[in-house]
Amino acid sequence: MPLNEEHILKYLRNESDAKTKSELINILKTRIDKLCFEECERDRIACTLQPKCSRRFLLKLRIKAGLTIEDLPKFCYSVHKGVNERYFRNKTVIYRPYDNYLYLIDFLDIFFHGDYRKLNKFVSIKKWDDIFKIFDDRIHNRNENFNYLLIDDYIIFKFGDRLHIVFLKENYVLCNANREDIASLELLYGICKFYAALYFPEVSLTYVTSKHIEIALKVPSDVLTGISRDPSESQESKADQYFWNTFWEDLNALTQYCDQINLNTDKNQNLEIIMYINLLTNNYNEEGQKSRLRFRDLRLIFNFITRIYTDYYIIWV
């Protein structure tokens, strides 16, 4: 049987000899450098249209490792930046650049061209009032369609339905967040707070440090009393159709991504739905460990909350 990737991963996990592991990693590093700086960069057309690593993931490896632009294959990175810019401007791209990493200054150049040098300087010295003034001017006076939130060591941006996360300590940005794992509870709370302000501001949101995020929403008693008591009866109302046919399916789907879901009735006979979310899901990977919560997993949670809030809360209070 030929050597495969699982053999290599198992060796790196289990081998106690640090010297041989280091030698294996150096072999891998040498091969990656040759692939990036010689084989791929040599043919610019091929590098542009068909890079030798899928979706240029080796750029992500270098950027997340803390390397500077001087340590990257420069032409490859310039194409990478160009793909992100074209996608932002809704132009044709070879592939949709989900989960792409850019240096902060390049993100600012694409999304805030004209102000990017000032913004980069203000971020470096943490002049947040000046930064927010520029953002707010673009939103209110230049009719640019985006939202933002600063929380802890992150700035969260939403342009249309695309989410971008600025990692301030690391000085890079995750663009078009989708399948990436959510990095920290602080970031998870920030995203929940961000979406709550936009779509469900009256929903209760609690950050229990180092444990989970608690989201509590209500279905008023007036809605509950209006639902038919027998599912076989005519279900003409929207509430009947939803709570008899879809509600429990939604909750069952959410159990994949919520640590826990509690249903309670408060003193006013309102139904309380309390969701506890942390960085782990209830799905398991190939190694039998719980999978990490990803950005796209939050869409199911937020869609459910928005539906309950919009259809069965706002119009009743």
Side-chain angles (χ1 to χ4, degrees), residues 79-200:
V79 175
H80 175 74
K81 178 182 175 182
V83 170
N84 280 274
E85 183 168 10
R86 288 182 64 84
Y87 190 60
F88 169 59
R89 303 195 185 286
N90 296 314
K91 295 182 178 180
T92 303
V93 291
I94 298 170
Y95 59 87
R96 294 179 180 179
Y98 294 138
D99 302 316
N100 272 224
Y101 284 82
L102 289 170
Y103 292 112
L104 175 58
I105 192 168
D106 294 310
F107 171 81
L108 296 174
D109 184 23
I110 292 172
F111 289 80
F112 302 101
H113 188 73
D115 292 314
Y116 81 99
R117 294 188 186 278
K118 285 190 292 185
L119 285 169
N120 190 57
K121 178 183 176 181
F122 290 156
V123 169
S124 67
I125 57 179
K126 299 183 178 180
K127 294 189 71 173
W128 302 118
D129 287 344
D130 292 322
I131 292 168
F132 299 156
K133 191 179 296 183
I134 292 173
F135 291 160
D136 292 341
D137 175 66
R138 284 176 168 261
I139 293 170
H140 299 300
N141 299 324
R142 298 190 235 176
N143 297 317
E144 296 188 12
N145 182 23
F146 70 94
N147 303 92
Y148 69 92
L149 175 69
L150 169 69
I151 185 162
D152 296 317
D153 298 314
Y154 309 95
I155 305 177
I156 302 167
F157 287 101
K158 186 172 181 290
F159 286 79
D161 61 352
R162 300 170 189 170
L163 195 68
H164 313 280
I165 312 295
V166 177
F167 291 74
L168 293 169
K169 282 186 176 179
E170 293 82 359
N171 206 40
Y172 59 59
V173 184
L174 169 60
C175 298
N176 307 306
N178 184 33
R179 297 175 62 91
E180 284 286 277
D181 297 340
I182 297 173
S184 68
L185 269 176
E186 291 82 5
L187 177 56
L188 176 58
Y189 175 66
I191 296 168
C192 292
K193 183 178 179 181
F194 182 67
Y195 275 82
L198 292 175
Y199 302 113
F200 36 88

Side-chain angles (χ1 to χ4, degrees), residues 24 37 40-41 52 54 65 83 87 97 100 108 117 132 159 168 199 220 224-225 245 273 285 287 294 310-313:
L24 176 58
F37 292 101
C40 198
E41 289 252 303
K52 293 188 179 295
S54 60
V83 170
Y87 190 60
N100 272 224
L108 296 174
R117 294 188 186 278
F132 299 156
F159 286 79
L168 293 169
Y199 302 113
L224 301 176
T225 55
N245 301 325
I273 307 167
N285 59 25
E287 297 176 351
R294 298 177 292 181
T310 303
D311 292 349
Y312 306 109
Y313 179 79

Side-chain angles (χ1 to χ4, degrees), residues 47-58:
C47 183
T48 300
L49 301 177
Q50 218 168 11
K52 293 188 179 295
C53 63
S54 60
R55 296 177 179 266
R56 307 182 194 276
F57 76 88
L58 290 174

